[in-house]
Amino acid sequence: MKKRLLLCMAFVLLALAGGCGENRVDEDHGARIVYGSRDYEQINPLRNEYGVIDQLLFDGLMRRDVTGETVPGLAESYEYDPETYTYVFRLRDGVFWHDGKPLRAADVKFTIEAIRNPMTDSLNAQNFEDVREITEIDDKTVRIRLSAPNAAFLDYMVQPILPAHLLAGRDLRTTGFFRSPVGTGPFRLDHWEAGKEIVLARNEDYYRGAPKIDSFVFKIIEDDVAEAQALADGKIDAAHLAPTNAAQFMGNPAYHCYDMKTADYRAILFNFAHPYWQRNRDLIPAISYAIDRQALIDKALLGYGIPAYGPLQRSVYNNPNVERYDYNPAKAQQLLEAAGCTRGSDGYYMRGGEEVGFRLTVRNDNFARIEIINAAAEQLCAAGIHCTVETPAKIDWDGQMAYLIGWGSALDADVHTYKVFATNGKANDGHYANARVDEYLVAARRTSDPAERMRLYGLFQEELAKDPPYVFLCYIDTVYVMRTRVHGVAENNVLGHRAIGFFANVNEWTVD
């Protein structure tokens, strides 16, 4: 359905986009790619695991290749002792920071300890909570001893490493380093003009081979619609667009549209610390049955996605037999009325003198968030649940009632489930608490037996369906639109949240 719809739109809009892509954005600048992007306050991989630009500036000891495998990165090799839960990583020779200093074991130790420091306030802190001791055996060898086995630890080591020689002893909350970062990645920061562009230059000494393009420019553009217009006008080469804005480029030979699968889902998160949900938590199943997910996907994403029923659908540990809360308006009505709700003359339900409904907060950025949440709110209102949408400039995490959350990782299942759904999870923004969920998640990270992990994650998903923290809506497909002058993108990679992984082989990309 999505292809038919997009092609129809493409032919209608072809004249608008046609020919514009012939404008050259790289004249007098050598081989470069200009990419539409939001601005950054800072580039800090200690705080945020989903920074798109981080993938071009930094590397981890391990990396995710284009086949989805976790393989050695800055580490040449590693060994693991299952008796003592100890990893020994041997760093590659010939790896240098962008300032010319060599990579050392001290950099690995510094980075992990910085993440574990509560003052850093890192979302990734729980990835390393099992770390007991880090020892620099020599400049090229680091030993990491855990307090317990952790099946996901190698995937955690895709964490970008930072330079100790530039950051040790500095206040990581106030340092200017994250406005002029130095990494080991395929590109180095050339200059950053706030609100306009971030220009990266080729790292000639990159350990996987110098990139084939001279520079990669992050052109700051305020929104998705403006990005699409800049692409049509030939001002940029590439953009990650919502399907509604990507449609105009379909069928135009000047552009290539990459439709890539992701583990990135959208869901309505409920703030269980809010008094409303302490009174009305039992209504969440009815809310879930009131959502027609396929209709939402068709309307908001033009068919680019699949209905969601849980957090691991694109994982090997998916349990397809859980309650999916498929669209069932009669069931939603039945549950609401059984809970004592009565529908008023205005079409909305009341319960105990209080309207059944809530404010749904969403960040006004790209990735089709606004389109998705407006479609969901419209359906809920039609079902008698008064849902209003707000897009504040700053999110009040403690005061908001519900939020359109985006999560998902193509890495190990533990990577986002443990910190998102565990009672004390660093990213548990809804204050969800379920002792059985905690038990299953801890046990799943402690065993490396695939069958046992399958059983435990299956039980986790069943418990999550019985006591839902979210109303799961959809998994989105990522649509990148690029001028056909750009070559070499690995198309068959399953991407994570915010399309993390798209730049996995950027050092191999070329331009005409």
Side-chain angles (χ1 to χ4, degrees):
M1 178 176 181
K2 67 183 180 185
K3 291 182 178 178
R4 290 198 303 270
L5 181 56
L6 285 175
L7 285 174
C8 288
M9 294 181 68
F11 285 118
V12 172
L13 296 169
L14 187 59
L16 297 176
C20 297
E22 295 304 315
N23 296 335
R24 304 294 290 187
V25 296
D26 61 328
E27 292 176 3
D28 302 323
H29 294 284
R32 73 170 183 168
I33 294 175
V34 182
Y35 175 76
S37 172
R38 303 299 177 272
D39 206 354
Y40 288 76
E41 293 182 6
Q42 57 178 357
I43 302 172
N44 185 352
L46 294 179
R47 296 283 306 276
N48 181 12
E49 65 182 312
Y50 296 116
V52 173
I53 199 170
D54 298 8
Q55 304 167 76
L56 281 70
L57 291 169
F58 300 99
D59 295 297
L61 292 193
M62 306 295 289
R63 67 181 181 88
R64 196 76 161 179
D65 69 14
V66 296
T67 70
E69 294 297 317
T70 300
V71 299
L74 295 178
E76 182 179 61
S77 62
Y78 66 89
E79 298 173 358
Y80 176 62
D81 179 1
E83 298 297 323
T84 60
Y85 323 131
T86 300
Y87 289 86
V88 176
F89 294 93
R90 175 71 184 177
L91 305 186
R92 293 180 187 275
D93 292 325
V95 177
F96 298 93
W97 295 100
H98 295 153
D99 64 359
K101 300 293 185 181
L103 174 73
R104 300 178 301 137
D107 301 315
V108 179
K109 179 179 172 66
F110 168 81
T111 300
I112 296 177
E113 289 180 345
I115 291 170
R116 284 167 51 83
N117 186 340
M119 298 298 291
T120 305
D121 192 28
S122 174
L123 273 180
N124 299 338
Q126 284 184 299
N127 294 356
F128 300 99
E129 67 180 16
D130 292 327
V131 173
R132 177 182 173 186
E133 179 185 60
I134 309 174
T135 304
E136 302 167 48
I137 297 176
D138 57 42
D139 270 357
K140 291 296 182 181
T141 313
V142 60
R143 181 177 64 218
I144 303 175
R145 181 170 294 160
L146 308 183
S147 59
N150 190 317
F153 191 72
L154 283 180
D155 276 11
Y156 294 149
M157 295 309 292
V158 302
Q159 168 69 44
I161 302 301
L162 293 177
H165 69 280
L166 295 177
L167 288 171
R170 300 176 69 174
D171 187 336
L172 299 181
R173 297 168 298 178
T174 60
T175 176
F177 173 88
F178 299 114
R179 292 288 299 185
S180 55
V182 172
T184 60
F187 292 88
R188 58 176 176 80
L189 181 68
D190 184 85
H191 68 271
W192 183 346
E193 189 173 356
K196 292 187 177 181
E197 63 181 16
I198 305 173
V199 178
L200 310 182
R202 173 169 56 198
N203 177 9
E204 299 287 354
D205 297 320
Y206 188 50
Y207 80 94
R208 293 171 57 202
K212 295 178 173 59
I213 57 176
D214 298 314
S215 61
F216 201 107
V217 180
F218 282 68
K219 181 68 68 175
I220 309 306
I221 302 175
E222 63 272 19
D223 59 46
D224 207 59
V225 173
E227 279 188 3
Q229 188 60 54
L231 193 61
D233 291 342
K235 296 179 180 178
I236 62 175
D237 292 303
H240 179 194
L241 298 177
T244 49
N245 291 316
Q248 63 184 284
F249 301 100
M250 296 290 178
N252 188 329
Y255 301 92
H256 187 108
C257 296
Y258 295 91
D259 172 15
M260 300 181 69
K261 306 302 179 188
T262 79
D264 191 8
Y265 61 82
R266 298 291 176 266
I268 298 173
L269 169 151
F270 300 100
N271 179 13
F272 293 117
H274 195 284
Y276 182 83
W277 297 115
Q278 293 171 6
R279 298 189 299 271
N280 295 291
R281 184 170 181 160
D282 60 323
L283 300 184
I284 291 175
I287 295 170
S288 201
Y289 281 122
I291 298 289
D292 185 342
R293 291 161 180 79
Q294 189 59 57
L296 179 151
I297 291 165
D298 291 342
K299 181 175 183 178
L301 300 175
L302 304 185
Y304 275 72
I306 61 172
Y309 54 81
L312 295 177
Q313 282 173 241
R314 290 240 163 96
S315 164
V316 295
Y317 299 112
N318 178 46
N319 182 351
N321 300 316
V322 300
E323 172 58 65
R324 300 189 181 199
Y325 294 98
D326 292 332
Y327 180 52
N328 190 335
K331 182 72 170 179
Q333 179 180 346
Q334 175 190 345
L335 290 177
L336 288 166
E337 293 176 354
C341 302
T342 57
R343 201 160 190 171
S345 58
D346 62 354
Y348 296 119
Y349 282 99
M350 300 288 292
R351 186 194 203 191
E354 182 179 38
E355 187 176 67
V356 175
F358 56 95
R359 297 186 314 278
L360 183 46
T361 304
V362 60
R363 193 182 304 277
N364 189 13
D365 60 8
N366 56 356
F367 315 119
R369 289 181 189 263
I370 294 295
E371 292 90 340
I372 290 171
I373 211 53
N374 284 339
E378 180 181 341
Q379 291 183 9
L380 290 174
C381 287
I385 301 165
H386 193 188
C387 180
T388 57
V389 175
E390 62 177 11
T391 57
K394 185 176 181 180
I395 306 300
D396 177 9
W397 288 105
D398 292 328
Q400 53 89 20
M401 296 180 71
Y403 182 79
L404 181 68
I405 198 74
W407 276 118
S409 174
L411 298 170
D412 187 271
D414 183 85
V415 170
H416 91 277
T417 57
Y418 184 77
K419 65 187 172 190
V420 172
F421 299 106
T423 298
N424 296 314
K426 184 69 176 176
N428 184 351
D429 295 314
H431 307 283
Y432 178 72
N434 183 309
R436 287 193 180 92
V437 164
D438 293 345
E439 175 188 346
Y440 299 141
L441 289 177
V442 170
R445 68 173 9 197
R446 296 293 177 237
T447 178
S448 58
D449 177 23
E452 179 62 4
R453 297 193 89 204
M454 180 70 76
R455 184 185 75 85
L456 290 165
Y457 279 122
L459 292 171
F460 154 71
Q461 291 165 83
E462 289 174 12
E463 188 61 33
L464 213 65
K466 293 175 187 174
D467 179 30
Y470 298 168
V471 167
F472 290 96
L473 299 175
C474 59
Y475 280 77
I476 65 172
D477 291 351
T478 280
V479 182
Y480 272 94
V481 181
M482 307 185 80
R483 295 171 65 208
T484 52
R485 63 187 291 268
V486 180
H487 306 281
V489 174
E491 299 188 50
N492 297 320
N493 196 5
V494 175
L495 307 180
H497 181 48
R498 295 186 184 171
I500 291 299
F502 184 74
F503 296 109
N505 69 329
V506 67
N507 59 305
E508 301 171 1
W509 294 8
T510 61
V511 294
D512 291 337

